[in-house]
Amino acid sequence: MMDDAGDEQRIGDVTHNAVLVTQGESTVVSAGQQGRQIQYGSVSERDQPSTSIQASDSHVITESQSLDPKQLDSHLPPIQTLMALSVSFLFISSANSGIQSLQSSVYEKDNLGLINMACVYAATFLSVPLVTSAVRKFGCKNLLLLTWICRSIFVGANFYPRFYTLIPASILSGASSVFIGTTRNLYINAASDSYIQIKNYAQEKRHQILSIFFGVYFAFFGVTQIAGNMVSSLVLYSNADVRSNNTKSEHCGAEICFVNSTASNFIQHPSQETLYMLFGVFLGFVVIGFLVTLIFLPRFTPPQPAVARSVCQEIASCYKVLANVKVDLFLPVLMAQSMMLMIMLTGFTEYFITCSLGVEWVGFVMMAYGTSTAIFSALANYLARYLGRIFLFLTFILLDMGLLFLMLFWNPGHNGSKLILFAIATVAGLTEGISQPQLNSYFTVLVEENLTSATATFIMAKSIAFSASLVISTFTCFNYRVYVVIALYSVGLVGYIILEIITRKRKHSDDQKDKEPLIKDVKS
């Protein structure tokens, strides 16, 4: 890379950036893959494979030091990594989504279901400061296996649903969920970078490849809604008592309010034996997901830092991400989309489906949601290369706002229109399928210099939105939740437009700098 072998060289900073300092000349390395671009002042060149270096989280390496190939992104087989990760999440999340869809309908007494889900997402704050240390100490694969064990405890607690069993299990599951999201993003980011290197693609295609990889993952994730809800509906629908005794309400939708009322008495519970059967199937799903991770997912651990950071430094690193103006402009859309997801999983299932058709129809309608998510996660992000990111962002924001307005003014009533309910679920699945890969890939591009801490902040922001939505639902009527999400989406839409303007101006400025000559005329 450099001919001056005697010059002292230092590489530092975080996850994907390294800086080499030599005799007054600064060389910026976009590290992590061989063949990435090096920028000397304003001229880009290709680095040589023999000197490709990866820096991950703050650590110092000299060029003369050798790196363990296992620490490089390129050691990961990209397709095997992506598929093993996706399949394991398919089984684990199938159990999780099936249980979550029924929480507000089955455990509505004393708001146990909503409080239970609020604890899951609020508990994320407990583990956010520990994310980076945990990834380094255990490695991504071992950390995933530990979190799957936590998920099995959460599923098992549903066999005896009480406040003193479900709440602790929910807190444990929630505290481990931030590790799940972080390791998932690290794996997908590393696998996509490895794929870019193998195919020798230009780095300008990184967002496109990331979108495709996240699209494949979220396509499998969408299938979890199908599998989990299919199991729950088939088991519940086979219970004749539920179908015959379930008394529906004439007034459903946003106009109904269960707060401080007995309006929820129309919900009839399945028998305990039926629930045991259902939760037993979900526990089996978790075991299968654990085995897929154990057997097929490659091990991956980011390079270790030269100096370990304290918990306080880890907390500061996570919250430092919020000082990034681009992140601040991005967060309203992210949080609005997260609250929209909670509306679909709790409010829509309880106030529209269970209220008008019965609890046994929750799974069937949400299967349409999952099918749509799976299809459009894969399809829309392949179309991203032709339609562009802006089109996809505006599409899911405007469609979600349209669905929210529809929920405000439409009352499904007794024996509500199945066609409209399935249509709402399908369109919501479309927006979910578009938004999740785009939000994840765009955020990764925005903060790639500090990916581990930034991912923890990303998950924390989503958890705040999830928890806020559930807390609001506990103390206010459903329509207030809808108003909040519409307002947040409106702010997010403006913020996103500003973010795109800033991004394009900065890209234009960088392009102009690249055109400047390496050696400028100096007047004597």
Side-chain angles (χ1 to χ4, degrees):
M1 183 185 301
M2 304 290 293
D3 292 331
D4 300 327
D7 293 340
E8 183 180 358
Q9 303 180 359
R10 183 172 62 86
I11 299 178
D13 214 342
V14 290
T15 307
H16 288 285
N17 290 308
V19 178
L20 277 67
V21 181
T22 65
Q23 294 183 348
E25 182 180 52
S26 176
T27 302
V28 179
V29 181
S30 177
Q33 303 297 334
Q34 298 177 1
R36 289 196 182 184
Q37 290 186 343
I38 299 180
Q39 197 169 25
Y40 294 84
S42 59
V43 177
S44 297
E45 298 181 1
R46 288 285 179 183
D47 61 332
Q48 300 300 318
S50 60
T51 57
S52 176
I53 300 174
Q54 165 152 343
S56 184
D57 293 332
S58 299
H59 63 292
V60 179
I61 308 169
T62 62
E63 189 180 35
S64 60
Q65 290 176 311
S66 60
L67 288 176
D68 184 354
K70 292 182 179 180
Q71 291 181 330
L72 296 175
D73 291 349
S74 57
H75 92 284
L76 287 174
I79 304 304
Q80 177 188 338
T81 301
L82 180 62
M83 296 307 296
L85 191 72
S86 299
V87 172
S88 63
F89 270 79
L90 168 63
F91 284 100
I92 300 291
S93 297
S94 292
N96 194 56
S97 64
I99 290 177
Q100 282 191 345
S101 296
L102 294 172
Q103 289 288 306
S104 59
S105 297
V106 175
Y107 303 141
E108 91 290 347
K109 184 179 180 181
D110 297 325
N111 285 320
L112 175 58
L114 292 175
I115 294 174
N116 184 36
M117 292 184 68
C119 288
V120 169
Y121 297 111
T124 301
F125 297 103
L126 299 175
S127 53
V128 164
L130 307 175
V131 170
T132 305
S133 299
V135 169
R136 291 170 181 157
K137 183 175 181 61
F138 296 104
C140 291
K141 180 173 181 175
N142 290 338
L143 199 56
L144 270 182
L145 293 174
L146 289 174
T147 55
W148 294 161
I149 293 174
C150 294
R151 282 295 168 89
S152 67
I153 295 174
F154 172 69
V155 175
N158 283 270
F159 284 93
Y160 192 74
R162 302 290 187 274
F163 274 96
Y164 56 84
T165 57
L166 276 178
I167 301 304
S170 299
I171 293 174
L172 181 63
S173 178
S176 66
S177 64
V178 68
F179 301 133
I180 297 174
T182 301
T183 52
R184 175 202 67 197
N185 283 12
L186 288 173
Y187 262 118
I188 293 178
N189 183 68
S192 63
D193 282 348
S194 179
Y195 186 80
I196 290 171
Q197 178 188 353
I198 292 172
K199 296 296 185 179
N200 198 27
Y201 287 145
Q203 284 303 303
E204 288 74 14
K205 286 193 171 184
R206 188 163 188 267
H207 177 264
Q208 185 181 113
I209 300 301
L210 269 173
S211 295
I212 294 174
F213 271 61
F214 274 112
V216 171
Y217 165 80
F218 281 108
F220 276 86
F221 189 79
V223 175
T224 66
Q225 289 285 345
I226 304 173
N229 287 298
M230 177 185 292
V231 170
S232 63
S233 273
L234 289 176
V235 172
L236 294 175
Y237 199 79
S238 64
N239 188 328
D241 292 336
V242 173
R243 295 201 312 275
S244 59
N245 295 333
N246 199 356
T247 305
K248 294 97 175 178
S249 173
E250 292 291 342
H251 301 284
C252 299
E255 70 177 62
I256 192 171
C257 186
F258 290 168
V259 179
N260 298 324
S261 72
T262 58
S264 60
N265 291 335
F266 65 84
I267 297 178
Q268 296 293 322
H269 294 148
S271 66
Q272 198 62 45
E273 291 75 16
T274 302
L275 290 177
Y276 285 158
M277 182 188 304
L278 183 61
F279 297 139
V281 173
F282 289 149
L283 187 60
F285 280 5
V286 175
V287 173
I288 295 173
F290 180 92
L291 293 176
V292 171
T293 303
L294 179 67
I295 298 172
F296 298 106
L297 187 65
R299 293 189 177 276
F300 172 62
T301 303
Q304 300 295 320
V307 179
R309 294 187 294 184
S310 66
V311 174
C312 292
Q313 289 173 320
E314 297 287 3
I315 296 174
S317 178
C318 290
Y319 288 101
K320 186 179 179 181
V321 177
L322 298 176
N324 187 332
V325 175
K326 293 185 291 185
V327 172
D328 296 335
L329 292 170
F330 178 87
L331 286 181
V333 171
L334 173 66
M335 298 181 73
Q337 194 279 331
S338 301
M339 295 183 78
M340 178 67 185
L341 177 59
M342 279 295 98
I343 283 179
M344 291 301 300
L345 293 179
T346 58
F348 179 69
T349 55
E350 183 177 12
Y351 291 89
F352 287 83
I353 305 173
T354 303
C355 179
S356 62
L357 300 179
V359 67
E360 71 274 13
W361 277 93
V362 170
F364 291 129
V365 176
M366 295 305 288
M367 278 173 58
Y369 172 82
T371 303
S372 180
T373 300
I375 292 173
F376 285 99
S377 290
L379 179 61
N381 291 286
Y382 276 106
L383 295 177
R385 68 188 68 180
Y386 306 110
L387 301 176
R389 179 178 65 234
I390 296 177
F391 178 85
L392 294 178
F393 262 83
L394 294 178
T395 296
F396 85 76
I397 292 173
L398 296 177
L399 284 178
D400 269 351
M401 293 181 72
L403 289 177
L404 291 168
F405 280 111
L406 177 60
M407 290 183 194
L408 276 178
F409 299 110
W410 178 59
N411 172 24
H414 177 57
N415 288 327
S417 172
K418 295 183 180 69
L419 180 61
I420 297 179
L421 290 172
F422 275 94
I424 292 175
T426 301
V427 176
L430 182 152
T431 62
E432 176 80 2
I434 294 174
S435 63
Q436 287 293 345
Q438 288 300 311
L439 289 170
N440 279 270
S441 58
Y442 192 31
F443 188 79
T444 299
V445 172
L446 291 176
V447 296
E448 61 182 346
E449 72 280 357
N450 193 9
L451 187 59
T452 305
S453 297
T455 301
T457 305
F458 179 91
I459 297 169
M460 183 178 66
K462 293 185 68 173
S463 298
I464 291 173
F466 290 148
S467 301
S469 179
L470 293 169
V471 168
I472 292 172
S473 68
T474 304
F475 300 103
T476 64
C477 297
F478 175 74
N479 57 339
Y480 289 104
R481 296 171 64 186
V482 177
Y483 291 138
V484 169
V485 181
I486 291 175
L488 197 54
Y489 256 138
S490 300
V491 174
L493 180 59
V494 175
Y496 172 70
I497 293 173
I498 296 174
L499 178 58
E500 284 290 352
I501 293 173
I502 293 175
T503 303
R504 288 176 177 270
K505 282 185 176 180
R506 184 164 299 178
K507 184 177 184 300
H508 177 72
S509 177
D510 292 341
D511 291 342
Q512 290 297 112
K513 288 181 180 180
D514 286 343
K515 295 178 182 179
E516 294 179 2
L518 177 63
I519 301 176
K520 297 181 179 179
D521 293 335
V522 180
K523 294 182 180 180
S524 56

